[in-house]
Structures are given as structure tokens and as C-alpha cells.
């Protein structure tokens, strides 16, 4: 399969005991046929997992590829992005809780307006404001689900 997610907010799922996976799980098969997923301007946040299980914001398995850009991955209980030994993950211009190598990536509190009330807009002073991949012709949008919003947060 080939799929994309753009301008999506995914929050508040919960992984149960004995389950290992991801909020967004990209799966192929043992015959070498993988899936491809592109995430652009997506916010994935607040996904608690019961111990000892560690969930992931994004997980790629069985020959799959995932491309993450202009996203916010925060408070998800495990790795923000994980790819097994047969898969590939490319991350750029993304704010994540853990440090991820790649162009334009940040690891700083996104300063959501009010995560407790599920308001995942960006407060003024958020490092995610104006941090997206530079646009053709100049200018930079905000990271996350509201990514085309250029004004400086709430």
C-alpha cells in the first residue's frame, strides 16, 4: 500500500499490556512487499502505554518505508519513530520528544495551548512556529497539524 496523512491530529490512544506497536503502524510482509507512508504536517501526541510495553508514534515493519516531515511527535511513551531492520524511516523538519537525526529536526517542548483540554494549537513562543521545511519562494509554516497557519500561534 501507498498512503499519506496530511494535516491530521492523532491523540489520546492507549496501548494495552502485551501489545507492541505504534499509533501509526506501517506494515508490509515477509515476501519483501512493503508499504509506504508519508506524514506531512501531522501532530501525534499523548499516547500512554502500559509498562513494560513501549509504543511508538510511528512504526515501520516488514520492508516498509515511512517519510515524516513538518510534524510534531510528543508524549507518546516510547520511540517517536522506529523502523525494524528491514524497513526505513526518514524524518525531517519535525519536532519530537527524542532527538532524531535529520535536516531541521528539533527536540523541544512544542508548547501546546492546553494539552490537558486537547487544544494542541501552538502558544506564542513555541519552537514549532515557523520551523517547517522552507517553502518554494520563501516563508516557513508552522509544524504539526495546523502547519499552513503562518501566524505566530495563539
Amino acid at each position: 500500500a501507498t498512503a499519506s496523512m496530511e494535516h491530521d491530529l492523532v491523540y489520546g490512544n492507549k496501548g494495552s499490556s502485551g501489545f507492541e506497536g505504534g499509533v501509526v503502524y506501517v506494515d508490509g510482509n515477509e515476501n519483501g512487499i512493503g508499504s509506504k507512508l508519508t506524514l506531512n504536517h501531522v501532530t501525534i501526541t499523548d499516547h500512554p502505554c502500559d509498562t513494560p510495553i513501549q509504543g511508538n508514534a510511528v512504526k515501520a515493519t516488514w520492508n516498509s518505508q515511512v517519510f515524516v516531515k513538518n510534524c510534531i511527535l510528543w508524549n507518546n511513551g516510547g520511540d517517536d519513530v522506529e523502523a525494524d531492520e528491514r524497513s526505513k524511516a526518514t524524518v525531517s523538519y519535525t519536532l519530537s520528544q527524542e532527538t532524531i537525526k535529520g535536516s531541521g529536526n528539533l527536540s523541544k517542548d512544542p508548547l501546546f495551548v492546553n494539552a490537558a483540554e486537547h487544544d494542541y494549537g501552538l502558544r506564542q513562543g513555541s519552537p514549532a512556529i515557523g520551523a517547517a521545511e522552507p517553502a518554494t519562494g520563501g516563508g516557513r509554516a508552522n509544524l504539526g497539524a495546523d502547519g499552513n497557519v503562518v501566524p505566530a500561534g495563539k
Side-chain angles (χ1 to χ4, degrees):
T2 300
S4 65
M5 294 175 67
E6 292 200 33
H7 301 284
D8 289 313
L9 170 62
V10 184
Y11 69 93
N13 293 300
K14 184 175 186 211
S16 61
S17 183
F19 173 78
E20 182 181 346
V23 175
V24 175
Y25 193 86
V26 184
D27 195 13
N29 68 34
E30 60 275 1
N31 295 325
I33 300 171
S35 298
K36 289 184 183 180
L37 176 66
T38 300
L39 291 90
N40 186 25
H41 289 291
V42 174
T43 299
I44 301 174
T45 188
D46 290 339
H47 300 281
C49 296
D50 294 339
T51 55
I53 303 305
Q54 288 194 348
N56 308 99
V58 180
K59 185 166 186 169
T61 64
W62 287 102
N63 307 301
S64 295
Q65 296 178 352
V66 64
F67 303 93
V68 180
K69 67 179 182 175
N70 303 316
C71 295
I72 297 174
L73 311 172
W74 198 257
N75 195 29
N76 293 302
D79 291 329
D80 289 316
V81 178
E82 181 183 351
D84 71 12
E85 64 279 354
R86 295 174 292 282
S87 301
K88 182 178 179 183
T90 304
V91 182
S92 62
Y93 296 95
T94 290
L95 185 152
S96 59
Q97 194 156 352
E98 66 181 354
T99 301
I100 300 175
K101 292 181 182 180
S103 298
N105 291 336
L106 304 169
S107 181
K108 298 179 181 178
D109 187 336
L111 300 177
F112 292 129
V113 171
N114 188 346
E117 295 294 321
H118 311 296
D119 184 346
Y120 296 103
L122 303 174
R123 285 188 278 158
Q124 194 164 351
S126 168
I129 293 172
E133 180 178 37
T136 304
R140 293 176 78 169
N142 298 341
L143 298 177
D146 296 329
N148 282 347
V149 181
V150 179
K154 294 180 180 181

